Amino acid sequence: MNDQRNMVLAVILSALVMIGGTFISNKFYPAPKPVVSSAATSANANAGTTLGATAAAAAPILRDPSAALKDSPRILIETPKLHGSLALVGARIDDLVMTKHMTTIKKDAEPIRLLSPAGTKRAYFAGFGWTGEGLAVPGPETLWTASSAKLTPDAPVTLSWDNGQGQTFQIAIAVDKDYMFTVDQSVLNNSTAPVSVRANGYVSRIYGVGPTAGALSGSRVDQDSWTIHVGPIGTFNAKTDYDVDYKTLDEAGTQGPRFTSKGGWIGFGDTYWLAALAPAQDTNVDTGFRKDKSSYMADFAQAATIIAPGKSLSSKSNFFAGAKEVTILDGYEKSLGIANFGKAIDWGWFEIVAKPMFYLLHFLFNLLGNFGFAIIALTLIVKAVMFPVAQKQFASMAKMRVLQPKMKALQERFKDDKTKLQQETMALYQKEKINPASGCLPIFLQIPIFYALYKCLMLSIEMRHQPFIGWIKDLSAPDPLTPINLFGLLHFTPPPMLALGILPILLGITMYLQFKLNPQQMDPVQQQVFSIMPWVLMFVMAPFAAGLQLYWVVNNTLTILQQKWLYTKYPMPAVPVKT
């Protein structure tokens, strides 16, 4: 064992980054998918559940939302973070715009539209209803009566409908100042006979595009990847499921995955946005996903219940529609008891590191007022915490560097006897009291830290569109300033892997300088491979978020300074010493 092991580990880590870079490039710069557009239709025959108010009847294709909104009388929705309306036909929440989040960083950018009516290009909506036996239940074309004309955090709205058979249905809807709707469904049986009803809720999303495509957030289409889950998501029996994706539903069709769960939640998530249903957490429900003609569906249904004459039945649930802000999701998990609601953000394997890192980064942002400076401060903190371990690694590397002349002498002496060379090398390590494996730990520790920061920058809506200084207007996007097109003087956009921004170039330079400070490899081929690795990673990192590039550049710079300082304590001998 020798110092090459550390370098091999570094190559493995670099390979992981390179592979990840390919996936990220595919994720953030994919070929556009064909748009399949039609009105969402309904009925879930799976597991004996038929939604009484799932999706709308057939509607014109590719209509503008402003035109589709005229198909139904509406109740206005107005909160500090949401503006939109609720359709009285079908009792659907199908018109929501997030006023705090814009499509781009331009001053005249429009707010992001999350929900849109059936028949529009990005139809995406939610509704609540019943199935039943021995009675007429409200359906997609039912016209409800509203108690007021506007839904606000201070003014809930109650929708009512009488089926003419002795049953009155009501949907009481309240909304808070953030993104959560509380829905109370009730049935009053004024007939002379008992009836059986089953409350349900659904989210319908048109097939082919996500709400972050096209006009919603530029040209980017969110896609599922091995590092970031996008698409169907939910928590069932206290376990969050990231395995189901759109491909799963494409293959399963109407017989999509079903779950019997107590509480939990279900819906569709994008990188930054979420629309999810949360039934009463103490109630057993049948829930799941499916694909129905032109739409994907997520739904839940409670157990059928008999309502005696003169009695009523009510059931409460929640509907979240908005940005996946970490503190808000965690807050709902605590205040409403929604199991694992914070896991709507796919923190991944190193959540135990990523989530505390986010909260620390967010604290630093609130303290410094700039996420770029917060990232630099975080890098300094990580370096300080890792200092004792890193010092041990660098001390070992410095000793190995001093030992290079003796290693080369051994290599010359036993160049034809590899076994003897290995024995003599180990004897030299023992004599000099050097453990070549002591530098491995920092490399392993850096993997979860780097991955955790990557998750923070890629997933946290709090960092979306956050500027740094100068030309970096969005730390969650790649560095836009590239010499490939003469910093914008030439009117063409280079491919992502070639669009080398200033930060990726600095990253390559600092990695090369760091490599030059490391002990030389005995094998010339290995030395050549390691010498070009920084320039390869420079291209690999080009499509990554500028915030991640900034972290790596600062980290490399601090590492170089630390190594230079340490090597003054272990200077190279003036004359090579032979063994």
Side-chain angles (χ1 to χ4, degrees), residues 1 43 78 96 114 126 131 133 203 209 217-218 241 254 293 300 309 425 431 479 521 526 528 537:
M1 184 181 299
E78 190 172 305
L96 280 183
L114 179 62
T131 58
E133 297 180 8
V203 176
V209 300
S217 61
D241 192 310
T254 58
K293 296 182 180 178
F300 75 86
T425 300
K431 178 182 177 182
D479 185 337
Q521 297 297 299
Q526 288 187 23
Q528 185 66 25
L537 286 178

Side-chain angles (χ1 to χ4, degrees), residues 149-169:
K150 183 184 287 188
L151 172 62
T152 70
D154 299 321
V157 169
T158 298
L159 309 182
S160 302
W161 180 72
D162 191 316
N163 67 358
Q165 300 176 355
Q167 289 83 37
T168 300
F169 296 83

Side-chain angles (χ1 to χ4, degrees), residues 502-520:
I502 301 300
L503 286 176
I505 292 173
L506 291 176
L507 189 152
I509 293 172
T510 55
M511 285 195 70
Y512 179 77
L513 294 176
Q514 188 177 347
F515 161 76
K516 294 296 289 183
L517 289 174
N518 291 335
Q520 266 198 334

Side-chain angles (χ1 to χ4, degrees), residues 64-192:
D64 185 84
S66 60
L69 292 175
K70 298 177 182 178
D71 291 343
S72 167
R74 293 190 166 268
I75 301 299
L76 294 179
I77 299 173
E78 190 172 305
T79 80
K81 294 184 178 180
L82 296 173
H83 283 179
S85 61
L86 182 157
L88 290 179
V89 174
R92 294 188 304 275
I93 302 174
D94 63 355
D95 171 33
L96 280 183
V97 170
M98 294 176 286
T99 60
K100 301 297 183 181
H101 299 287
M102 303 296 113
T103 54
T104 68
I105 60 176
K106 295 180 180 179
K107 291 183 179 180
D108 59 348
E110 296 181 353
I112 287 180
R113 170 172 288 279
L114 179 62
L115 301 187
S116 191
T120 59
K121 188 176 181 180
R122 295 173 187 87
Y124 194 11
F125 50 88
F128 301 85
W130 294 263
T131 58
E133 297 180 8
L135 77 166
V137 296
E141 300 301 322
T142 298
L143 177 61
W144 293 75
T145 301
S147 62
S148 62
K150 183 184 287 188
L151 172 62
T152 70
D154 299 321
V157 169
T158 298
L159 309 182
S160 302
W161 180 72
D162 191 316
N163 67 358
Q165 300 176 355
Q167 289 83 37
T168 300
F169 296 83
Q170 289 190 335
I171 305 176
I173 304 175
V175 64
D176 66 11
K177 61 183 178 61
D178 293 313
Y179 305 110
M180 188 66 80
F181 295 82
T182 300
V183 181
D184 194 346
Q185 299 170 254
S186 62
V187 182
L188 174 61
N189 182 17
N190 287 322
S191 70
T192 58

Side-chain angles (χ1 to χ4, degrees), residues 316-381:
K316 185 174 289 187
S317 57
N318 292 101
F319 172 58
F320 178 95
K324 296 195 294 188
E325 298 175 22
V326 180
T327 55
I328 288 178
L329 294 178
D330 289 347
Y332 287 138
E333 183 173 329
K334 294 177 181 178
S335 63
L336 300 179
I338 304 176
N340 290 354
F341 203 57
K343 290 184 180 294
I345 298 175
D346 179 15
W347 293 105
W349 303 324
F350 300 115
E351 179 179 0
I352 193 173
V353 178
K355 208 161 184 179
M357 182 174 287
F358 164 80
Y359 277 108
L360 174 58
L361 194 56
H362 199 256
F363 168 79
L364 293 171
F365 166 68
N366 291 332
L367 187 67
L368 301 173
N370 183 293
F371 257 113
F373 293 133
I375 290 171
I376 293 173
L378 176 68
T379 311
L380 291 169
I381 292 172

Side-chain angles (χ1 to χ4, degrees), residues 439-498:
C440 299
L441 181 59
I443 294 174
F444 282 117
L445 290 178
Q446 282 294 332
I447 294 175
I449 291 172
F450 182 84
Y451 184 75
L453 185 64
Y454 157 76
K455 282 284 190 174
C456 288
L457 291 169
M458 293 294 102
L459 295 177
S460 300
I461 183 68
E462 291 83 351
M463 296 180 201
R464 180 177 180 266
H465 291 177
Q466 288 290 342
F468 179 37
I469 55 173
W471 70 98
I472 300 177
K473 307 298 184 182
D474 184 359
L475 285 164
S476 67
D479 185 337
L481 201 61
T482 172
I484 302 298
N485 62 4
L486 298 182
F487 305 107
L489 293 177
L490 301 179
H491 297 289
F492 80 95
T493 302
M497 295 292 286
L498 295 179

